[in-house]
Amino acid sequence: MTEPSTTTPLTRTVPAGPVSPAYLPTLGLANFGVYLALLTPVFVSLAFKLEHITANRGESVAALSLVMGVGTLFAIIFNPLVGRLSDRTMSRFGMRRPWLILGAVVGFAALVTIGLASEVWMVLVGWCVAQAALNGTLAALNATIADRMPVWKRGLASGIIGITTSLGILGGTFAVNFLDSDLSRFAVPALIGLVLTVLFAMLLKDGMRLTPPSTSYGWKDFAGSFVFNPRKNPDFGWTWLTTFLVMFGYAGIATYLPLYLTDKFLLTEAEAITAVLICNLAAVGAQAISGPLAGYLSDKLGRRKPFVLAAGIIMVAGLVVLAFAPTVEMVIVGQGLIGLGIGSFLSVSLALATQVLPDVEDTAKDLGVINIANALPQSIAPAIAPGVIALGAATAIGGYSLFYLVGAAAALAGAVLIFRVKSTK
């Protein structure tokens, strides 16, 4: 399936002709499916699954931190790794298609395993495999944007990615209200993700080829899958850091919202699931406005950075509201503001990243490195959350309040740093 890399420039042939009318709709469906499978556990299923197989709340919080933290490391490794392998795949089935299908199939099997698990270690292993497989799928999926779309249309494609990511979250939290077993909460979203990804892969015009490389793929090349030179490519470096900081502000919300609702407002599991669904309805409704609008306007105006700044400021406002919310209704308001901000960010950030890639011959690999900035906060935030929450609980600020304020500071810093990027407006 794959051939070794080369130290000389690789050449590729882009399929001739206009973008297929089916490309953007099926891209959105596939992205929706992958994130439905991947984020339903993050937002709802994992927290309650671990509650069901642990003795008390303290154990479930610690287990959630462990599972999320270690699992995200696999996302960090496999997204750029599969991206680099995808860039070098020479197959009669294309460059991206084999990885799209393989990742979706393995991810489905891993999520079913989690649903059946009876021990924390089983959930941990299953989640690590699911993160590796589905992030490999995302690496190939996102690379098709740079493969297929001209620069002036990438804001539209990025906007579709942003809104369907949010719809995946919403779809998962909606479905969980009607799925009352652990197995169905993991298997049903995973099956939908598998079907939609295979549909995209089958309809994708993936005729790209690489010239046969002449040297082996060694450890240096392997290590290079996860790094870049920020001095040589400063714009790519600042884009990476901006993405990391903004997503750090966003990451903790997803994982700890169910526990926040049950701890602070004394909701039952069923009430918390309903509240999470309403929160996500508010967030996705806001994203449905800000995502496509920001993507369209950034294409039209030829400017990306102002939309990133606006996204960060709006997210900060939402996180502050969330930190001090006196009622569940105010939590919903905060989530709506966060959705408005992250919608603008997601719709523009991927388009901006495709414009500052260090090497056009390593598109999927470099986008995989950007995905590290998306994924790493999902490991760091849960890892530090117990300590930050405990510290906040010992002060007048409050445990979860301090946690969300730390996220707000990170998001604001990331939004401001985007102006260090010089090659785009």
Side-chain angles (χ1 to χ4, degrees), residues 81-92:
L81 176 59
V82 172
R84 171 157 269 193
L85 293 174
S86 173
D87 286 332
R88 283 155 175 74
T89 294
M90 298 180 64
S91 162
R92 64 190 180 92

Side-chain angles (χ1 to χ4, degrees), residues 80 84 217-228 365-366 369:
R84 171 157 269 193
Y217 183 82
W219 286 105
K220 183 178 179 180
D221 302 284
F222 173 79
S225 298
F226 315 108
V227 297
F228 61 94
K365 172 261 181 182
D366 290 329
V369 172

Side-chain angles (χ1 to χ4, degrees), residues 148-167:
R148 303 298 311 169
M149 299 294 291
V151 170
W152 59 274
K153 281 190 175 181
R154 290 179 189 174
L156 174 61
S158 185
I160 289 172
I161 291 290
I163 189 61
T164 53
T165 298
S166 301
L167 288 173

Side-chain angles (χ1 to χ4, degrees), residues 370-386:
I370 286 289
N371 194 67
I372 293 176
N374 282 302
L376 189 58
Q378 297 175 39
S379 178
I380 294 176
I384 70 170

Side-chain angles (χ1 to χ4, degrees), residues 91-118:
S91 162
R92 64 190 180 92
F93 300 108
M95 291 175 65
R96 316 299 183 194
R97 187 177 293 114
W99 300 100
L100 288 165
I101 295 175
L102 178 64
V105 170
V106 174
F108 170 76
L111 289 168
V112 169
T113 299
I114 296 172
L116 295 170
S118 58

Side-chain angles (χ1 to χ4, degrees), residues 24-314:
L24 286 176
T26 56
L27 173 73
L29 287 172
N31 192 72
F32 166 81
V34 174
Y35 277 109
L36 179 74
L38 193 58
L39 294 185
T40 301
V42 171
F43 274 78
V44 184
S45 306
L46 270 177
F48 291 129
K49 172 68 180 182
L50 290 167
E51 273 202 340
H52 297 161
I53 62 175
T54 53
N56 54 57
R57 172 54 59 86
E59 285 188 19
S60 66
V61 170
L64 182 61
S65 177
L66 173 67
V67 171
M68 288 295 298
V70 177
T72 302
L73 294 178
F74 280 74
I76 290 168
I77 292 170
F78 278 86
N79 192 292
L81 176 59
V82 172
R84 171 157 269 193
L85 293 174
S86 173
D87 286 332
R88 283 155 175 74
T89 294
M90 298 180 64
S91 162
R92 64 190 180 92
F93 300 108
M95 291 175 65
R96 316 299 183 194
R97 187 177 293 114
W99 300 100
L100 288 165
I101 295 175
L102 178 64
V105 170
V106 174
F108 170 76
L111 289 168
V112 169
T113 299
I114 296 172
L116 295 170
S118 58
E119 301 287 343
V120 171
W121 70 265
M122 297 177 183
V123 175
L124 175 61
V125 171
W127 186 240
C128 288
V129 175
Q131 282 276 38
L134 293 175
N135 273 276
T137 297
L138 287 173
L141 185 76
N142 287 336
T144 65
I145 295 176
D147 291 344
R148 303 298 311 169
M149 299 294 291
V151 170
W152 59 274
K153 281 190 175 181
R154 290 179 189 174
L156 174 61
S158 185
I160 289 172
I161 291 290
I163 189 61
T164 53
T165 298
S166 301
L167 288 173
I169 298 168
L170 178 61
T173 52
F174 179 78
V176 166
N177 279 269
F178 304 96
L179 302 171
D180 51 12
S181 71
D182 284 333
L183 177 59
S184 63
R185 288 177 178 179
F186 286 91
V188 171
L191 179 61
I192 295 171
L194 173 61
V195 171
L196 294 179
T197 302
V198 170
L199 173 66
F200 172 71
M202 292 296 99
L203 295 178
L204 177 67
K205 291 186 176 180
D206 188 25
M208 302 179 71
R209 294 292 185 271
L210 298 177
T211 56
S214 59
T215 58
S216 62
Y217 183 82
W219 286 105
K220 183 178 179 180
D221 302 284
F222 173 79
S225 298
F226 315 108
V227 297
F228 61 94
N229 187 337
R231 290 186 177 181
K232 185 178 179 181
N233 304 286
D235 282 355
F236 189 74
W238 288 117
T239 300
W240 191 97
L241 185 58
T242 288
T243 302
F244 171 82
L245 290 169
V246 172
M247 294 308 295
F248 182 90
Y250 185 66
I253 304 165
T255 306
Y256 282 88
L257 185 60
L259 301 183
Y260 173 51
L261 291 168
T262 54
D263 280 355
K264 183 171 182 176
F265 301 104
L266 304 178
L267 303 185
T268 65
E269 179 177 318
E271 290 170 339
I273 289 174
T274 301
V276 170
L277 173 61
I278 297 171
C279 284
N280 286 330
L281 279 169
V284 172
Q287 283 181 262
I289 298 170
S290 67
L293 182 62
Y296 170 78
L297 290 176
S298 71
D299 280 345
K300 191 76 173 177
L301 300 174
R303 302 177 69 89
R304 311 290 189 195
K305 293 186 287 188
F307 296 95
V308 174
L309 178 63
I313 292 172
I314 295 169

